[in-house]
Amino acid sequence: MLGVGLTAAGEQVTETTALKVTTVYRCIELIGSSIKVLPFNVHERSGDAHQPIDHDYNWLFNCRANIDMTSSDAWQFLITSKFTHGDGFAELIRASYRSSKVLGWVPLHPDRVDPFRDKLTGLKYYRVTRESGEQEVLDQADVIQLTSLGYDGLRSPSPITYAASEAIGTAIAGQKWSGKFFEEGATFDYALSTDAKMTRIQLKDVKDTVIARDKNSRMPLVLSGGLKPAQLTINPRDAEILASRLFTIEEICRIFGVFPFMVGHTNKSTSWQSGLESMGSTFVRYTLLSHLTQIEQEFNYKLWPARSKRFLDHNTSQLERGDMKSRFDAYRSALGRAGEPGWMSVNEVRKRENMAPAADGDALFKPEMTETNNGEQDHADA
C-alpha cells in the first residue's frame, strides 16, 4: 500500500507474479527441463579412467526420487526453487540416522526451510517446517542446497526479485497495458477535424457523443458540423511500449543465460541449422554446465565418503547431438578412418544410438593390424 518493493514501472515482482511473464516461465522451464532429461548415473574410477556402473542411485536420480515424485518432477521442483527463491533444497532420506545409504530424496519448498548456524560449533543446520506444522532440525549432511549468485553462507537472493526485478516489472506493466488496449477495443487513436470554427457548445456536444459510446462498441460515430474522422498511426507512446516489450524479452533471457530464440523470440536470430546447433552447444557449455557442476559437487559430497572411487556424473551428449549427417561423420572419425586408429568401439557407438551390442564390436580399430592381416592374406593367396 505504501509502494515499498515496487519497481520503476510501478509493479511488485514476486515469485508468483514473475512466473506469469511468459519469458520468465519459459527460461526457468527450459533450464529445468534440460537438466532433468540428462542421465545422472554413478561412475567408478579405475586409475585415470572411469566408467558407468550399475547402482541403486541410478534409479533414484533417473526414474523415481521418492514414493510420491518421479525423478523428473523432483529435478524440476529443485531447479525452479533455485531460480524463484534463490536456493533449491532437497532432503536425503537415509535408511537410519547412522546409515550413509540413501533410499530417496524429497525436494523441500524454500519457504519451509530456515538455515542457521550453531553459535557454539559454527555448524550449519536446517529448520524444516513440515506440512503438519511441526518443525524438525536436519543435519547439513542430509540436505541438498543449490545456491545462486550472492550466497552468504546461509541463503541466496532470488534472481527474479533481485537481478531481474526491473526487467520483469517492465514486462508485467507492458502486459497490463496490452490487456487494457484490447479491453478498450484494440483501436488506435483517431482525430476529428473540420475546417469550420466550432463553438464551445458544439465542442461539448461532440465530446459527450464520443464519451457516450460504450467501450468495445462497434456502432458508428455520428458526426455533424463538417467533422471528419482521421485515423492516426501508432503514437510514440504506444511504439515505445511495444519496443520495451521486445527489449524485456532479451533482457530477461540475458539474466538467465538463455538465447532468445529458445523462448520463441526469433527476431535478429539466425534460422540456419548450423547456427542453431552452435548456439545450442554454447547454451550447454556456458549456461547448463555451471548448474550441472554445482549439482554434481553437492550430491557427491553428501552421498559418498571421502576419497570414494564412486561419483555421480551427468551425460550431456544427448543435448549436444547434431544432425544425423554430422553425428555419423563424427562416429566415422571416432571408429577410425583414413589410416587413423579408432578411439571408440562399434558397441560404444551403438550404445549411444540405443542399439543392441554386436558380438564382435568391442575391439578398437588399429590400422597396423589391418595392414598386417592383409599382407598375410595376400601371401597366402600367392
Side-chain angles (χ1 to χ4, degrees):
M1 293 177 61
L2 299 177
V4 179
L6 297 182
T7 62
E11 300 295 335
Q12 186 177 16
V13 178
T14 64
E15 293 80 5
T16 303
T17 58
L19 287 177
K20 294 181 180 180
V21 178
T22 56
T23 307
V24 177
Y25 185 94
R26 179 53 181 159
C27 284
I28 295 178
E29 195 273 337
L30 175 65
I31 296 176
S33 298
S34 300
I35 292 177
K36 72 182 183 182
V37 300
L38 295 178
F40 192 41
N41 294 322
V42 179
H43 293 68
E44 189 171 50
R45 296 181 180 88
S46 178
D48 295 334
H50 62 83
Q51 60 181 359
I53 62 173
D54 186 18
H55 196 278
D56 292 340
Y57 288 171
N58 294 340
W59 172 266
L60 289 182
F61 299 116
N62 296 280
C63 296
R64 199 77 188 179
N66 54 72
I67 192 173
D68 295 325
M69 303 179 70
T70 63
S71 299
S72 177
D73 293 335
W75 282 119
Q76 188 72 64
F77 191 108
L78 186 63
I79 301 302
T80 300
S81 298
K82 174 183 176 179
F83 285 113
T84 55
H85 292 76
D87 295 284
F89 298 99
E91 180 183 0
L92 298 177
I93 309 301
R94 301 188 185 273
S96 66
Y97 179 76
R98 298 181 179 274
S99 175
S100 62
K101 184 177 181 180
V102 174
L103 303 179
W105 60 291
V106 181
L108 302 173
H109 197 285
D111 290 341
R112 295 180 176 271
V113 181
D114 181 26
F116 67 95
R117 292 191 181 276
D118 186 274
K119 295 182 179 181
L120 297 178
T121 62
L123 297 178
K124 187 176 180 180
Y125 295 92
Y126 297 85
R127 184 179 293 105
V128 179
T129 303
R130 303 297 185 183
E131 294 183 358
S132 61
E134 298 181 356
Q135 291 188 344
E136 182 180 356
V137 175
L138 301 179
D139 190 87
Q140 185 177 6
D142 296 330
V143 178
I144 296 294
Q145 182 177 4
L146 302 183
T147 62
S148 300
L149 184 64
Y151 174 61
D152 62 0
L154 291 177
R155 298 296 294 256
S156 306
S158 170
I160 62 175
T161 59
Y162 181 71
S165 60
E166 291 296 337
I168 296 175
T170 302
I172 295 174
Q175 286 185 174
K176 288 185 177 180
W177 178 88
S178 298
K180 185 175 180 59
F181 173 75
F182 284 101
E183 180 187 9
E184 294 176 350
T187 57
F188 293 110
D189 291 341
Y190 63 92
L192 303 177
S193 63
T194 180
D195 295 333
K197 184 177 181 180
M198 301 183 66
T199 64
R200 290 186 177 181
I201 297 177
Q202 290 176 322
L203 290 173
K204 184 178 182 305
D205 291 341
V206 173
K207 181 179 179 180
D208 294 340
T209 301
V210 174
I211 295 177
R213 298 182 70 201
D214 294 332
K215 66 178 180 179
N216 299 328
S217 173
R218 308 303 300 174
M219 296 296 295
L221 181 64
V222 180
L223 303 176
S224 61
L227 288 173
K228 297 179 181 179
Q231 180 71 47
L232 300 179
T233 58
I234 184 170
N235 59 47
R237 174 176 172 271
D238 297 339
E240 183 178 351
I241 292 178
L242 293 178
S244 67
R245 294 203 68 189
L246 296 177
F247 174 75
T248 54
I249 294 176
E250 299 178 1
E251 187 73 4
I252 294 172
C253 289
R254 185 179 297 112
I255 294 171
F256 285 101
V258 175
F259 285 104
F261 82 90
M262 291 184 170
V263 299
H265 182 67
T266 57
N267 186 31
K268 301 179 181 179
S269 296
T270 177
S271 59
W272 292 97
Q273 183 67 20
S274 58
L276 295 179
E277 289 180 8
S278 176
M279 287 188 285
S281 299
T282 304
F283 171 70
V284 174
R285 186 177 303 113
Y286 294 108
T287 300
L288 289 186
L289 192 58
S290 62
H291 301 299
L292 298 179
T293 302
Q294 182 188 47
I295 292 173
E296 293 167 5
Q297 292 178 351
E298 179 72 359
F299 274 89
N300 284 324
Y301 178 73
K302 301 292 177 67
L303 291 175
W304 311 105
R307 298 182 180 180
S308 174
K309 292 185 177 182
R310 295 179 178 179
F311 64 96
L312 284 157
D313 189 31
H314 285 101
N315 183 0
T316 61
S317 60
Q318 293 296 324
L319 293 180
E320 296 177 310
R321 292 177 65 176
D323 59 89
M324 183 175 292
K325 182 179 183 303
S326 300
R327 196 164 71 250
F328 287 177
D329 287 342
Y331 287 154
R332 292 190 187 98
S333 177
L335 290 172
R337 64 178 180 180
E340 298 176 354
W343 52 273
M344 287 184 68
S345 66
V346 173
N347 282 343
E348 288 175 328
V349 173
R350 293 176 66 88
K351 183 178 181 180
R352 286 177 175 267
E353 295 296 322
N354 295 322
M355 300 174 65
D360 55 349
D362 292 327
L364 293 176
F365 172 73
K366 296 182 179 180
E368 61 275 8
M369 293 180 57
T370 304
E371 293 176 359
T372 302
N373 293 338
N374 290 339
E376 293 176 354
Q377 184 64 37
D378 293 340
H379 179 73
D381 292 341

